[in-house]
Amino acid sequence: MGVLSRRNVLVGTALVGGGLMVGVKFSPDKRLARAREMLENPGENLITTWVKISQDNIITVIVPHAEMGQGVHTSLPMMLAEELEADWDLVTMVQAPAETIYANNALVKGYLLDGKEIPAFLNQPANWSTYQLGKYMDMQVTGGSTSVRTTGQYAMRVAGAAVKDLLIQAAAQKWDVPARECSARLSQVFHNKSKRSASYGDLAPGAAGMTASASPKLKARDDFTIIGTSKPRFDIPGKVNGSATYGIDIHMPGLKIAAIQASPVFGGKVARVNSGPVTGLRGIETVVNIGDAVAVVGDNFWRVQSALINLDVQFDGGGNESVSSDTIYATQVRAIEAGKRKSNVSSGNLDEARVAAVTTVDAEYRAPYLAHAQMEPLNCTALVEDGKCEIWVGVQDGLATRAAAANALGIAKEDVTVHLLPLGGGFGRRGGGVMDFIDRSVRVAAQLDGPVKVIWSREEDMRQGAYRPACVSRFEAGLDGSGKPVFWSNVHIMDEEAEAVHIPDSVAAQIIESVEAPTHVPYGPWRSVASSQHGFFIESFIDELAHMAGVDPYDYRRDLLGDDPRMAHVLETAARMSGWGGALPEGRARGIAVKKSFATIVAQVAEVSITQGAVRVHKVWCAADPGDVVNPDTFRAQMEGGIIFGLTAALYGEITIEQGRAVQGNFPDYKMITMADTPEIEVEIIRSGAPWGGAGEPGTPPIAPAVTNAVFALTGTRVRQLPLKNHEFG
Amino acid sequence: MSYQLTINGTSHELDVEGDMPLLWALRDELHLTGTKFGCGVAACGACTVQVDGVAVRSCSCPVEAADGAIITTIEGLGGPGGAMTTLQEAWTAHQVPQCGYCQSGMLMAVTALLAENPDPSDEDIDKGVSNVCRCGSYPRVRAAIRSVAQAIATQDATQDPTQAGATEVGEATSAEEM
Ligand code: FES
Ligand code: FES
């Protein structure tokens, strides 16, 4: 068993790196016992935590992330297979259960290596900042575009390379030749001198007695044969024939179905519930009151949801009944004017620059609350029995789910088992900081015998959101005689990651500050997090400066990015793709924007017209530099999806608050774009070789400003508050 | 009240309320969960099935309205043994799904569109497919539809074009090579 504990040291070492604070939290033996449960068939050898190789030469990669359509169940195995010199046709994957050994240790290292803070999306409502750093090891995160950047780079590739070395050693020993004379290719080890070869499957048992290198040599980019090639995703067939089982599809003997309603005023309590009107109705078993929500339990979702609507229940809003979007914006404006400011960026001499400026420009921007509206409404199936809890759910963070359930029930985390299922969309709503639906579901289950599937109606899902926060942001900038910005001053709501509010360094004097204006409205990470609203604000205001200076918006940006060749190249690429500056059809105009988020730089050009008084986007050109890319087709799909997600928000997205509650409840009043208003999208990927960036999020931020900048070019109307549907165009 | 439905070629007697939406009869009574719940108000198309050959949003179709009907769901779209239709194969070739949750409904809606109009224009597609895909697979949906329409157009004229992903009511489609 030496190799297994040694292998655990390998993984631990690889994950811990020089960062002593992370530590190896779990004893090798415990890792070993848990990891061994992953072995399904006799004859399989578990070689590392991350991969197993069966005797018939099938390599199964164990992926510690949930699949929500971002292709990570394929791209992570690709990274491992690359280093392992595996035959891709013989590679498959399983998703790791939400066990501590699969906690996303690599995530911690990824951020430590980048010299970054723990990302904002982990800092959201659950207030993770009170945790010790080591506790992050207890998170299994899919979000913040981290899978490839951290798990892939620091665990998958290292594990793959180490296992390859083991297999070569095993072959060398078997053949009694020096290991350096052996080579690996397509899931086989070769010894050319003696013309011998053996499959990984044959060598695997021998390798199980050997010592792995803690820091194996990784391949150079030029030698990649799998990374950078488009591979069909493992999860697609089941999504085409209807066999993919999402959380909402779970069925088991004795399963009850529940519909739930929480206080419409966020944070309120159930004041009174009278189950009389629904007692005895067909298929209705009981009504459960969990204090902040009620649930009707029965045998069919239509029956329980219909009964819930007829239930006689009153809520106590807890004093927030008078809060509205207007009062929230007013509070934010007051905070910006008089609140205590926290500085995020401060460089240069603002006072001097102010004097030097020939022109000053100021503007106030606003972005509304947004719901995630992931296609699969929130749901969670739970069984609470004998002080233990079992959960079936699609989430972005299995271990946070486990912790949330344990917390809600007052039991140990070890007594909670989470079965992770594919997600019908996440976009942040199923992430670690926003586990209200787990909390409520297990509290409903605790009052019942047997398993219960709690399903949120679309209306309940949308009105009990973890919204992208509404935000006001004020800017002031000064231009010199040539129109160049000499100072930039910004104050906005909520302290955010520097990356989200960053502007080009070429603006010598900068002050970027935040103020707090808390509300009772729950919020959470929403695809691209703070870069979604700040990307819109910043790239719009830069456009204002360009027009004020009388310079073409592309040229103006290009000039500002003089010190940043990588970003400038992405901008140039988008401009080139679109033929920026060329003649356009009558009634059309273009806008451009560029934003770096999650370490990926994306520039987009949007071509728009006004059709029947509304903005119509015809085409989007998108250039993206993620450093490098594992599965280009998947990356392209993420850009397409990110653009459509951001465009939906720019055109239509708005959750308004009235009387302390969310107004919109379903697609008729929270409109989604469909085939008919989807633009043509062209994507070009730039593999610059910079540190790997994300894929899921960075496509979203530039689209709103690219579109509104085009609207300005076309109409002269500067849109400073989204969504566009609230504006009238001639 | 008891209702008789033929679903994917199998006859079912359903003893449920007549106003129960077909969606919830499929999902919670028959445990055919390939058909998805997205909105419940006919606004997203995730629940699309075919009732007597017509694409129907099953969340808003009461069981009593489908009494005696022949129904095809995503589970019955392909041929026996899991063989996929031409359209499903195009979906795989174009890697259309992201999270995949909307795709059952998307495929059922497009299948019905192509049965009626094997070579739809962009406008026909825009009008005929109003399903919501929150992941934004629309460009690929369009590309996949086009590839199938092209395949039909170049097919031997003696072949029946409606076989390409289009079901005759109640019959499982034969899986063809593109
Ligand atoms: S669930 Fe039927 S249309 Fe949305
Ligand atoms: S693929 Fe996710 S909603 Fe369409």
Side-chain angles (χ1 to χ4, degrees):
Chain A
M1 291 300 101
V3 69
L4 287 167
S5 44
R6 175 63 187 148
R7 181 257 311 155
N8 283 312
V9 173
L10 159 77
V11 172
T13 309
L15 295 176
V16 176
L20 287 171
M21 66 286 278
V22 179
V24 178
K25 209 173 154 194
F26 316 105
S27 71
D29 291 340
K30 194 170 167 191
R31 275 172 183 271
L32 177 62
R34 294 268 172 87
R36 284 213 149 264
E37 291 168 11
M38 298 299 296
L39 294 175
E40 276 170 9
N41 304 307
E44 288 176 339
N45 282 280
L46 189 66
I47 295 197
T48 78
T49 305
W50 311 96
V51 61
K52 55 182 176 172
I53 299 178
S54 68
Q55 280 174 339
D56 58 358
N57 211 17
I58 299 295
I59 294 166
T60 305
V61 181
I62 300 158
V63 176
H65 290 273
E67 178 61 81
M68 52 180 183
Q70 79 285 45
V72 59
H73 277 186
T74 310
S75 50
L76 290 177
M78 284 172 73
M79 296 177 90
L80 189 142
E82 178 72 66
E83 296 292 347
L84 182 51
E85 296 294 355
D87 179 346
W88 180 249
D89 292 340
L90 303 178
V91 176
T92 179
M93 61 78 54
V94 295
Q95 181 173 305
E99 293 289 350
T100 311
I101 50 162
Y102 297 105
N104 203 348
N105 303 0
L107 179 75
V108 178
K109 190 185 183 205
Y111 279 92
L112 290 177
L113 285 191
D114 284 355
K116 279 192 182 169
E117 305 275 316
I118 292 301
F121 76 93
L122 298 181
N123 265 325
Q124 303 261 344
N127 192 12
W128 296 108
S129 59
T130 59
Y131 276 55
Q132 301 295 321
L133 188 55
K135 294 235 171 117
Y136 286 99
M137 293 184 73
D138 243 355
M139 302 187 68
Q140 190 186 40
V141 180
T142 305
S145 292
T146 54
S147 317
V148 162
R149 299 162 65 192
T150 55
T151 305
Q153 286 290 71
Y154 303 120
M156 288 288 163
R157 288 185 65 193
V158 170
V163 175
K164 182 196 73 183
D165 289 352
L166 280 180
L167 292 163
I168 286 179
Q169 276 184 53
Q173 203 170 68
K174 183 173 170 179
W175 298 327
D176 197 20
V177 298
R180 67 182 137 68
E181 289 180 5
C182 299
S183 61
R185 198 169 59 84
L186 293 173
S187 293
Q188 295 194 68
V189 179
F190 297 88
H191 183 247
N192 284 342
K193 272 191 189 165
S194 61
K195 295 203 165 31
R196 275 178 292 192
S197 68
S199 76
Y200 285 0
D202 288 341
L203 296 168
M210 304 192 151
T211 302
S213 158
S215 51
K217 193 168 172 293
L218 298 185
K219 291 174 77 171
R221 289 178 72 219
D222 287 348
D223 298 332
F224 288 165
T225 57
I226 296 175
I227 290 176
T229 63
S230 291
K231 300 288 184 211
R233 278 163 42 201
F234 288 128
D235 59 317
I236 294 259
K239 292 174 173 179
V240 168
N241 65 20
S243 67
T245 301
Y246 299 83
I248 203 167
D249 299 330
I250 276 292
H251 185 65
M252 60 191 77
L255 181 70
K256 305 176 209 296
I257 310 280
I260 190 163
Q261 189 188 0
S263 165
V265 179
F266 310 111
K269 298 272 170 263
V270 178
R272 195 177 62 79
V273 55
N274 168 17
S275 52
V278 308
T279 309
L281 290 181
R282 181 167 175 189
I284 302 303
E285 189 172 309
T286 187
V287 173
V288 171
N289 177 355
I290 56 166
D292 55 349
V294 290
V296 177
V297 183
D299 64 357
N300 177 301
F301 182 69
W302 172 72
R303 292 192 181 116
V304 293
Q305 180 62 31
S306 307
L308 182 64
I309 289 166
N310 291 321
L311 195 67
D312 177 14
V313 54
Q314 278 169 12
F315 294 97
D316 171 1
N320 289 311
E321 295 87 339
S322 60
V323 177
S324 69
S325 290
D326 288 346
T327 67
I328 290 168
Y329 279 136
T331 307
Q332 295 196 349
V333 167
R334 261 201 312 281
I336 283 178
E337 282 167 357
K340 189 171 171 313
R341 295 188 178 190
K342 179 172 180 290
S343 173
N344 187 329
V345 176
S346 176
S347 64
N349 188 324
L350 205 73
D351 295 333
E352 276 175 20
R354 213 178 266 282
V355 175
V358 175
T359 329
T360 60
V361 191
D362 56 64
E364 181 183 294
Y365 281 82
R366 293 179 180 195
Y369 286 108
L370 295 173
H372 298 77
Q374 74 293 337
M375 246 7 246
E376 178 195 10
L378 293 175
N379 64 85
C380 172
T381 298
L383 169 65
V384 178
E385 211 172 49
D386 305 330
K388 296 201 190 312
C389 176
E390 203 165 348
I391 292 172
W392 294 261
V393 71
V395 285
Q396 292 167 253
D397 186 340
L399 290 165
T401 300
R402 197 170 71 147
N407 246 339
L409 299 169
I411 62 177
K413 280 191 291 189
E414 288 67 32
D415 291 328
V416 179
T417 305
V418 180
H419 304 274
L420 289 177
L421 294 156
L423 290 77
F427 313 120
R429 183 62 183 97
R430 292 186 158 104
V434 288
M435 305 252 84
D436 53 301
F437 61 106
I438 303 294
D439 171 74
R440 284 184 180 146
S441 297
V442 300
R443 286 189 288 124
V444 169
Q447 295 199 27
L448 300 169
D449 291 326
V452 60
K453 175 159 68 181
V454 187
I455 302 175
W456 273 239
S457 66
R458 173 58 64 191
E459 290 78 6
E460 184 71 1
D461 177 295
M462 198 170 282
R463 294 199 173 113
Q464 296 294 329
Y467 306 104
R468 196 281 304 271
C471 180
V472 174
S473 186
R474 271 195 194 170
F475 296 90
E476 190 190 4
L479 311 182
D480 66 15
S482 71
K484 276 185 108 143
V486 288
F487 77 86
W488 174 282
S489 154
N490 170 225
V491 54
H492 56 259
I493 301 301
M494 274 172 70
D495 191 17
E496 302 286 8
E497 260 188 297
E499 189 188 58
V501 298
H502 181 83
I503 65 156
D505 294 335
S506 62
V507 181
Q510 300 185 13
I511 180 148
I512 300 174
E513 298 170 310
S514 62
V515 293
E516 299 299 322
T519 73
H520 78 299
V521 182
Y523 65 93
W526 183 97
R527 194 172 192 168
S528 82
V529 198
S531 289
S532 72
Q533 67 269 37
H534 289 284
F536 165 63
F537 301 154
I538 293 166
E539 279 298 290
S540 296
F541 191 59
I542 287 181
D543 214 67
E544 292 202 45
L545 303 187
H547 285 282
M548 182 64 75
V551 178
D552 174 87
Y554 161 70
D555 292 331
Y556 195 79
R557 282 183 177 77
R558 178 66 196 75
D559 203 40
L560 277 180
L561 293 172
D563 301 340
D564 190 341
R566 192 178 157 215
M567 203 138 166
H569 181 58
V570 178
L571 184 75
E572 283 162 9
T573 305
R576 179 196 26 86
M577 289 167 70
S578 69
W580 181 267
L584 296 178
E586 178 71 23
R588 302 238 180 137
R590 288 175 176 180
I592 192 165
V594 58
K595 183 85 186 88
K596 182 178 180 185
S597 61
F598 299 88
T600 292
I601 300 166
V602 180
Q604 287 162 9
V605 173
E607 184 172 311
V608 311
S609 69
I610 303 296
T611 306
Q612 291 164 343
V615 174
R616 158 110 212 159
V617 182
H618 298 274
K619 178 142 188 188
V620 177
W621 293 265
C622 171
D625 176 3
D628 208 343
V629 60
V630 182
N631 198 347
D633 187 58
T634 297
F635 186 88
R636 201 167 285 121
Q638 288 300 305
M639 288 298 116
E640 293 161 2
I643 288 167
I644 290 167
F645 202 85
L647 185 58
T648 300
L651 294 176
Y652 308 123
E654 181 177 41
I655 292 289
T656 41
I657 307 298
E658 295 294 341
Q659 301 179 321
R661 60 190 84 189
V663 174
Q664 293 76 11
N666 205 327
F667 297 124
D669 53 6
Y670 189 73
K671 194 168 137 73
M672 299 284 118
I673 73 176
T674 58
M675 296 290 290
D677 42 7
T678 296
E680 197 184 325
I681 298 171
E682 213 175 281
V683 178
E684 196 168 311
I685 304 168
I686 299 161
R687 296 176 68 183
S688 67
W692 299 55
E697 330 253 355
T700 298
I703 189 63
V707 168
T708 55
N709 292 343
V711 166
F712 179 81
L714 187 64
T715 66
T717 301
R718 177 58 64 184
V719 175
R720 296 195 184 90
Q721 182 164 357
L722 294 176
L724 282 154
K725 74 168 165 84
N726 295 344
H727 300 261
E728 276 181 33
F729 302 97
Chain B
M1 224 358 231
S2 178
Y3 301 92
Q4 192 269 323
L5 284 75
T6 303
I7 303 168
N8 303 329
T10 307
S11 174
H12 296 268
E13 284 294 320
L14 266 180
D15 172 21
V16 297
E17 300 88 319
D19 56 346
M20 175 181 286
L22 179 58
L23 172 65
W24 295 107
L26 291 170
R27 288 185 58 85
D28 283 357
E29 304 295 316
L30 301 171
H31 308 301
L32 281 168
T33 53
T35 305
K36 302 302 185 202
F37 164 54
C39 69
V41 296
C44 76
C47 63
T48 306
V49 300
Q50 286 179 13
V51 178
D52 290 335
V54 176
V56 163
R57 296 191 167 179
S58 65
C59 69
S60 303
C61 171
V63 167
E64 62 197 356
D67 190 23
I70 290 173
I71 293 160
T72 308
T73 70
I74 187 72
E75 289 93 341
L77 190 61
M84 294 212 190
T85 65
T86 307
L87 191 68
Q88 285 171 308
E89 279 171 3
W91 242 241
T92 307
H94 289 268
Q95 298 277 291
V96 172
Q98 290 189 27
C99 83
Y101 193 79
C102 71
Q103 299 295 343
S104 300
M106 198 64 99
L107 280 156
M108 297 309 291
V110 174
T111 298
L113 171 76
L114 288 177
E116 209 170 275
N117 179 357
D119 190 15
S121 68
D122 275 334
E123 243 194 3
D124 297 336
I125 294 172
D126 290 349
K127 281 210 190 98
V129 186
S130 59
N131 297 44
V132 172
C133 172
R134 184 58 162 151
C135 297
S137 65
Y138 305 121
R140 285 160 190 253
V141 168
R142 191 182 299 281
I145 294 174
R146 279 209 189 114
S147 74
V148 170
Q150 258 158 28
I152 293 169
T154 54
Q155 250 174 11
D156 186 338
T158 57
Q159 286 191 6
D160 175 5
T162 60
Q163 271 199 330
T167 46
E168 260 304 289
V169 176
E171 284 180 32
T173 319
S174 62
E176 298 170 8
E177 291 302 315
M178 275 175 64

